[in-house]
Amino acid sequence: MEPTTGSTTLSREQRDHYLATLNEETLSALMRSTWTWDDRALRRRLSELLTGLVAVRELGVGEVESPAAVIDAAEARVLAAAGEFIAEVLGPRLLADAGNAFREPLLPLVRATGELTAEAARALDTLAVDVTGHVIERNEALTSLLPEDAWEEKAFGPQSTGLARVAYSAGYTLSRTDYFPAAGLGAQAFAVAAAPNDDSVDVRHSTLAAAEKTGSWDPALVRTRATATDDGWQLTGEKWYVPGATAAGNIFVIARNIGGPSLYLVRHDAPGLTVETLPSLDESRPLARIGFDNTPAALIGREGAGGRIMNRTLDRATTVLAAEQMGIVDRALKCLVEVLPSATDSEAWRGYTRKLAELELLRAGATALWYRAVKLQSQDDLEASATAAAMAHIGCSQAVRQVSSRLTSVADDLDTSDVDAISTRARETDLLLGGPALAHERLLERLGI
């Protein structure tokens, strides 16, 4: 494609070209060409932009059924965001040709940002016309609710889609049944570390203790020590923010020995083990601090493989949380469509439907990212799966934060207990595995940037 620099609009060919070529390689190379690589704010925007580009591509695939207006708005908005990002990275090099190789091919996109923003606004106006009916009915395969008596079978079954449906159901129903410690963490860590047919541990009553007081899931920051003994291993140290610790009969622990971080199994009644329930935001899902004082433990898997186990478990766990977040989003949207302004107040009605359309747009992109992560988790490409999981966590966390904030703004017209539960669950799923700042850097790391 030969770019045209004199136009403020983009042809279909140009749009397709930019959507296909703006990726981690080209955008990181752009930043390196201008010495902006260490700018943390720009790195976060890069992470958001890459996530948005993938969401648009996934919406185009059609696995998540969306109105044409959603796809049009998402495409125009992400291209406009790319144009603004490019302009900020190039800076004065955009104003005049100073020999930067990226200026000429990217200039048409920068010139078109105004028109792209306007296009996105027009598409949202179109979506707003019938958005109240659309958000109530969901037809995606993973968003059908499961009764709680089917959760255990599906959560620990062989298919990742089963656990995805459980997590979505937990989010939508705001259930107090905490499936995540065992199904989302303990079982995932054991599956990564142990032999494929090993069923020696009851993972249905387990959890994983990985993070320490910083809350980071970086294997390099693990300080809990494992020491070899004549009978096996002993652990010394502490873990923080452990979910489901009081109910778990088996606790998987990441601890460091001379070979590096490794995965260990500790029984709940082991000597030297203390569990302290922490004052937690969600009282129905308390977190705990676990102390180890020469606590007997058994090595699971290969010694020194804890870093790989920790990272792969994190990828799976974030995909599970993304499913719960989308359940929360849909529950919140359903609440919002039940609080309609007066039909005779045309200005209030337009404002309401436009805000709902914005949330529906956010919801569609996040759902597409979640579906992609679930699909890739079942395949053999671990690198692609890790990237998809990180993007799903970013996109779904952003969606649940925004819809929760919108719900809080109209709380006077809603059931207070629902609003409080949605707000709390949204915050918990967003922060449990490190929070937004770490999530963005995690994505860049997974991409090799």
Side-chain angles (χ1 to χ4, degrees):
M1 183 196 76
E2 291 295 328
T4 57
T5 59
S7 174
T8 58
T9 62
L10 295 177
S11 67
R12 184 68 258 173
E13 183 186 9
Q14 287 176 307
R15 291 167 187 259
D16 291 342
H17 173 76
Y18 285 128
L19 287 172
T21 60
L22 291 175
N23 54 38
E24 61 271 18
E25 293 180 5
T26 56
L27 292 173
S28 60
L30 169 69
M31 292 180 70
R32 289 191 179 93
S33 76
T34 60
W35 301 96
T36 56
W37 184 240
D38 292 330
D39 187 312
R40 293 189 65 84
L42 282 177
R43 284 175 62 85
R44 176 158 179 163
R45 286 183 57 192
L46 171 64
S47 172
E48 292 172 344
L49 179 56
L50 291 172
T51 299
L53 287 163
V54 169
V56 168
R57 293 172 194 140
E58 287 298 307
L59 285 174
V61 171
E63 290 192 20
V64 176
E65 186 177 341
S66 299
V70 165
I71 297 175
D72 291 343
E75 179 183 295
R77 183 166 284 184
V78 79
L79 286 173
E84 292 297 334
F85 177 81
I86 290 162
E88 186 167 349
V89 172
L90 286 175
R93 301 168 188 83
L94 181 70
L95 299 176
D97 189 350
N100 186 287
F102 291 93
R103 179 182 183 272
E104 183 176 353
L106 295 177
L107 187 57
L109 177 56
V110 178
R111 287 181 181 274
T113 53
E115 176 57 28
L116 288 165
T117 302
E119 285 182 22
R122 291 192 292 269
L124 282 169
D125 287 340
T126 300
L127 179 63
V129 172
D130 64 351
V131 71
T132 53
H134 177 70
V135 299
I136 297 174
E137 298 182 7
R138 301 299 187 196
N139 299 313
E140 299 98 355
L142 297 184
T143 61
S144 55
L145 297 179
L146 284 171
E148 286 201 24
D149 59 10
W151 282 15
E152 182 170 305
E153 177 187 357
K154 294 294 184 181
F156 297 97
Q159 302 296 325
S160 58
T161 53
L163 179 53
R165 288 186 63 195
V166 169
Y168 178 89
S169 300
Y172 190 91
T173 61
L174 304 175
S175 172
R176 296 174 70 88
T177 299
D178 197 358
Y179 72 96
F180 183 72
L185 289 175
Q188 303 305 322
F190 187 69
V192 171
N197 297 322
D198 188 346
D199 60 357
S200 60
V201 179
D202 180 10
V203 295
R204 296 172 188 244
H205 300 91
S206 67
T207 190
L208 172 66
E212 301 190 358
K213 197 168 186 178
T214 64
S216 172
W217 277 66
D218 184 348
L221 299 182
V222 171
R223 295 291 179 266
T224 299
R225 300 190 313 277
T227 304
T229 69
D230 293 339
D231 299 323
W233 297 85
Q234 289 183 345
L235 306 186
T236 300
E238 61 181 19
K239 295 291 182 179
W240 286 73
Y241 320 110
V242 183
T246 56
N250 295 305
I251 301 172
F252 295 102
V253 185
I254 298 289
R256 179 179 298 279
N257 60 41
I258 58 173
S262 305
L263 182 69
Y264 296 89
L265 174 64
V266 175
R267 305 296 180 183
H268 193 274
D269 57 357
L273 177 74
T274 57
V275 177
E276 174 192 357
T277 300
L278 300 169
S280 304
L281 192 64
D282 187 348
E283 294 181 355
S284 68
R285 292 181 171 183
L287 303 176
R289 183 193 71 84
I290 300 181
F292 306 94
D293 184 7
N294 295 323
T295 303
L299 178 68
I300 302 294
R302 183 171 56 83
E303 187 177 345
R308 177 185 64 86
I309 295 167
M310 203 169 173
N311 286 330
R312 288 185 59 190
T313 301
L314 182 60
D315 294 336
R316 295 184 179 198
T318 51
T319 300
V320 174
L321 283 182
E324 182 170 346
Q325 288 172 324
M326 295 318 301
I328 298 168
V329 166
D330 280 356
R331 176 63 176 267
L333 283 170
K334 187 175 186 299
C335 290
L336 285 172
V337 299
E338 293 172 351
V339 188
L340 302 177
S342 171
T344 60
D345 189 340
S346 58
E347 183 176 349
W349 184 261
R350 283 194 298 271
Y352 168 80
T353 56
R354 179 56 185 267
K355 291 172 183 175
L356 207 57
E358 288 274 4
L359 294 175
E360 179 65 9
L361 175 63
L362 194 63
R363 187 260 177 199
T367 302
L369 291 167
W370 164 41
Y371 266 53
R372 175 172 177 260
V374 173
K375 177 177 64 178
L376 289 176
Q377 185 177 309
S378 303
Q379 300 177 9
D380 295 330
D381 190 339
L382 297 180
E383 184 176 327
S385 176
T387 301
M391 287 187 172
H393 190 47
I394 290 171
C396 296
S397 291
Q398 182 184 16
V400 81
R401 284 196 302 269
Q402 296 234 4
V403 76
S404 172
S405 175
R406 179 63 59 193
L407 197 65
T408 303
S409 70
V410 295
D412 291 344
D413 299 315
L414 295 170
D415 186 307
T416 303
S417 60
D418 275 1
V419 173
D420 289 346
I422 288 170
S423 176
T424 299
R425 290 289 170 84
R427 189 72 70 186
E428 178 198 37
T429 56
D430 184 29
L431 300 179
L432 181 61
L433 299 179
L438 291 179
H440 286 283
E441 284 299 321
R442 187 182 302 139
L443 171 59
L444 297 179
E445 177 187 320
R446 298 292 195 267
L447 289 170
I449 298 176

